[in-house]
Amino acid sequence: MMLRNPAAKYRPFPQVDLPDRQWPSRAITAPPRWLSTDLRDGNQALIDPMGAEKKTRFFDLLVEIGLKEIEVGFPSAGATEFEFISGLVQSNRVPDDVAIQVLTQSRADLIATSFDSLRGARQAIVHLYNAVSPAWREIVFGMTRAEVRDIAVMGAKLLRDGAAAQPDTDWHFEYSPETFSTAELDFSVEVCAAVMDVLRPTPERPLILNLPATVEAASPNIYADQIEWFCRNVPNRDSVVISLHPHNDRGTGVAAAELGLMAGADRIEGCLFGNGERTGNVDLVTLALNMYTQGIDPELDLSDIDRIIGTVEYCNQLPVHPRHPYAGELVFTAFSGSHQDAIKKGFAAQAQRNDELWRVPYLPIDPADLGRSYEAVIRVNSQSGKGGVAWVLEQDKGLKLPKRLQADFSRHVQALADTAGRELDANDIWQAFQRAYRLDDAQFFTLEAYEETRAPNGDRIFAGHVDAGGASQSVSGRGNGLISSVLAALADGCGIALDVVDYAEHAIGHGSDARAAAYVETTDAQGRTHWGVGIDEDVATASVRAVLSAANAAR
């Protein structure tokens, strides 16, 4: 049961004493170095860890996307991990510009196994870690600060000696003061400095210092303060790469990573779509596309997002949530009528401006940049409005309905959605449109043939044959235009008296295959409105069909 007074059990995380913090006024202007932990941290978070086939498929995907640093496993965890890692090396599957990374605790036997798994690699990173925070020191290990620091120093010496024993590999090192986010900042710097004293990094060959939010225990601004404080106080800052490994216990891993970059970090460790133990590692896809929408090239290729999702879901056996940022099936989808209207107007304005700058309401990124089609942007259910329905017809059939026709047709769609109790697809909407405006077989008046001539005084004369309920009927009429002459013919020959309120037409498609759509709004003697729609290869015939459609509605 939740406590009425949680302060009796929990304490707020302490602030960092950094009154002159600089990160709030900075902006991210370039991508970080990226490290994927999908094959290690992501894999250990799975109910059924990946086997060699899935790990290999995932590795190939990461390389294809553009990851240059990939943590491929924990070689001392077992034979499956060791054999996968050594297999990548021995099969020459690792491209020359990609560095694989392995993780090890600061224990002699585990470090030795890690080096063995990488034997023959062109370049590799060995990632050493040990926990440094008070809770781990006091509860888990029962150690003093000095004893914890000595574990890190011992591991650093083993890294140095292990690399010297395999000089043909270009070795790089990473050290993590695990549980950094809940440790004393001065002690984290002390331990990292002791590791640096052993490994002797230089600006040309820097040491990666990873500052993980192993447990996200504070708001992102505090993590940023911790990163800035560390960057200011670590010795030889130009000889280290500051890497971040944010977890997502508070649901703010992405924000913590972004603020941490603003605070001076150089590198981000995370997983595609945020998989990882407990609530996950930071989501590399969201981070990269956040940068992309700010005009920054993340240097990761996510242009076929659905194929990436398919591979990740297959390998992890975990679904990507339908509302996952950028990637979810529904993130570019609007059901709300007001949202649909704004998006529809945004696309129309974008086309009219012919502007390279993207400005469409509710869509922070162009779905086409991620390989998504526009057809699925607006989808229709009982919450949708006229704009959404009109968008679907325009995308699917090329019809650009006048505003008042949009309103008229939306009533039909609303009734259908309420009855069906489900989302309506493009075919549902098209069938409803055909029924509503008598474009299907349920017509009383059907055009058979006609010709139009001009009278000496300039009037138009319409003469034709109309199928009226199965019987062919000759009709003719005179007016100042084609539409008025058709209306006169219907009034004289069929007893259908209508007045035109509005008329619109447009082309469907381009070139020799283009067709015409015509829309006519009419009123009858009782003042009731009847809409007509006509589609034909010939614009004049489309107009005639639109008038007959209105007559069918009036009848």
Side-chain angles (χ1 to χ4, degrees):
M1 180 181 294
M2 292 183 67
L3 303 175
R4 299 294 297 176
N5 178 26
K9 189 173 184 179
Y10 303 100
R11 292 290 182 269
F13 199 89
Q15 300 284 322
V16 177
D17 184 16
L18 196 66
D20 61 338
R21 58 183 57 83
Q22 300 299 306
W23 64 261
S25 61
R26 295 176 184 157
I28 298 172
T29 58
R33 286 170 55 174
W34 302 103
L35 171 83
S36 162
T37 58
D38 288 276
L39 300 179
R40 198 274 304 169
D41 212 340
N43 189 48
Q44 72 182 25
L46 302 177
I47 298 171
D48 297 312
M50 290 180 279
E53 184 271 332
K54 288 182 177 178
K55 290 194 79 170
T56 301
R57 182 180 295 201
F58 210 132
F59 178 81
D60 291 343
L61 173 69
L62 295 170
V63 170
E64 183 182 343
I65 289 171
L67 273 298
K68 301 303 181 186
E69 298 175 53
I70 302 171
E71 194 164 78
V72 290
F74 202 132
S76 57
T80 300
E81 286 283 276
F82 185 97
E83 290 170 5
F84 169 71
I85 295 164
S86 62
L88 287 177
V89 174
Q90 299 305 319
S91 64
N92 293 316
R93 200 175 193 95
V94 183
D96 291 345
D97 61 346
V98 172
I100 56 174
Q101 175 171 304
V102 298
L103 181 71
T104 179
Q105 292 169 307
S106 188
R107 280 175 39 188
D109 56 332
L110 306 186
I111 293 171
T113 300
S114 298
F115 276 100
D116 286 343
S117 73
L118 295 168
R119 191 172 300 278
R122 284 183 291 268
Q123 62 171 329
I125 305 168
V126 182
H127 180 187
L128 175 77
Y129 76 96
N130 66 304
V132 301
S133 68
W136 267 255
R137 294 196 313 262
E138 298 163 10
I139 299 171
V140 180
F141 304 129
M143 288 183 173
T144 65
R145 279 193 177 198
E147 289 172 322
V148 167
R149 183 186 63 243
D150 287 347
I151 290 175
V153 170
M154 179 271 295
K157 291 177 179 177
L158 292 172
L159 292 189
R160 179 194 61 197
D161 297 343
Q166 295 186 45
D168 292 338
T169 297
D170 182 13
W171 295 105
H172 299 269
F173 302 122
E174 175 173 347
Y175 173 69
S176 289
E178 191 197 8
T179 65
F180 165 83
S181 56
T182 52
E184 308 94 335
L185 286 170
D186 64 326
F187 184 54
S188 292
V189 168
E190 178 185 331
V191 175
C192 290
V195 170
M196 293 171 67
D197 285 343
V198 174
L199 297 176
R200 300 293 181 183
T202 66
E204 294 73 32
R205 295 192 66 79
L207 169 66
I208 301 169
L209 291 178
N210 180 42
L211 307 179
T214 307
V215 178
E216 189 180 37
S219 53
N221 61 298
I222 291 180
Y223 187 55
D225 281 349
Q226 292 173 322
I227 303 306
E228 183 170 335
W229 193 98
F230 187 95
C231 289
R232 291 188 191 186
N233 289 277
V234 69
N236 303 318
R237 173 64 179 90
D238 62 349
S239 297
V240 295
V241 172
I242 301 300
S243 188
L244 306 182
H245 185 110
H247 279 246
N248 200 42
D249 301 85
R250 291 170 55 94
T252 55
V254 168
E258 291 179 328
L259 298 191
L261 288 173
M262 292 162 59
D266 309 298
R267 185 175 184 256
I268 294 290
E269 304 183 4
C271 294
L272 302 184
F273 310 117
N275 179 42
E277 278 202 306
R278 305 188 315 279
T279 54
N281 286 191
V282 73
D283 178 356
L284 297 187
V285 172
T286 298
L287 272 174
L289 293 177
N290 281 354
M291 294 179 191
Y292 183 82
T293 64
Q294 304 304 302
I296 300 167
D297 179 6
E299 298 177 1
L300 297 178
D301 184 3
L302 304 170
S303 57
D304 192 353
I305 197 73
D306 288 329
R307 190 173 62 83
I308 295 170
I309 292 169
T311 300
V312 173
E313 289 185 332
Y314 166 76
C315 292
N316 285 347
Q317 295 297 294
L318 290 174
V320 172
H321 194 280
R323 295 293 183 187
H324 192 104
Y326 301 109
E329 178 187 356
L330 298 178
V331 294
F332 299 123
T333 299
F335 290 103
S336 161
S338 59
H339 289 200
Q340 292 174 342
D341 183 62
I343 291 170
K344 179 174 179 291
K345 289 175 179 175
F347 273 110
Q350 192 82 15
Q352 291 172 1
R353 289 196 312 268
N354 195 24
D355 190 351
E356 292 185 0
L357 289 177
W358 179 254
R359 290 180 62 207
V360 175
Y362 293 113
L363 297 180
I365 191 172
D366 185 347
D369 289 358
L370 303 180
R372 293 273 176 88
S373 66
Y374 294 140
E375 283 76 4
V377 170
I378 289 176
R379 289 159 62 175
V380 175
N381 62 15
S382 61
Q383 303 298 307
S384 304
K386 63 182 185 298
V389 174
W391 165 269
V392 172
L393 277 176
E394 182 173 347
Q395 294 299 304
D396 190 55
K397 298 297 181 181
L399 300 180
K400 301 175 183 179
L401 307 190
K403 284 187 177 297
R404 288 197 294 275
L405 179 55
Q406 292 178 26
D408 185 80
F409 180 50
S410 68
R411 296 184 294 104
H412 297 271
V413 175
Q414 183 72 46
L416 177 60
D418 288 337
T419 301
R422 60 172 173 81
E423 178 187 351
L424 303 181
D425 61 24
N427 186 58
D428 293 325
I429 293 169
W430 175 237
Q431 290 182 2
F433 188 78
Q434 290 178 297
R435 288 193 301 269
Y437 303 107
R438 281 49 173 204
L439 300 179
D440 56 11
D441 294 334
Q443 304 178 49
F444 187 81
F445 298 115
T446 305
L447 180 66
E448 294 181 337
Y450 80 95
E451 62 179 14
E452 179 191 11
T453 57
R454 285 184 179 272
N457 65 352
D459 284 351
R460 302 283 185 90
I461 299 173
F462 172 86
H465 294 277
V466 173
D467 184 310
S472 182
Q473 183 172 339
S474 297
V475 293
S476 62
R478 179 190 292 252
N480 58 9
L482 176 60
I483 291 177
S484 61
S485 65
V486 176
L487 287 173
L490 289 173
D492 292 342
C494 302
I496 301 292
L498 297 173
D499 292 320
V500 173
V501 175
D502 196 16
Y503 172 82
E505 64 184 40
H506 66 80
I508 304 173
H510 303 281
S512 59
D513 295 330
R515 295 186 300 159
Y519 313 97
V520 61
E521 181 182 5
T522 67
T523 56
D524 60 20
Q526 287 74 41
R528 294 173 299 194
T529 297
H530 305 287
W531 279 94
V533 178
I535 301 172
D536 198 89
E537 287 76 12
D538 175 67
V539 65
T541 304
S543 302
V544 175
R545 294 190 187 280
V547 175
L548 289 177
S549 170
N552 281 313
R555 181 181 178 279

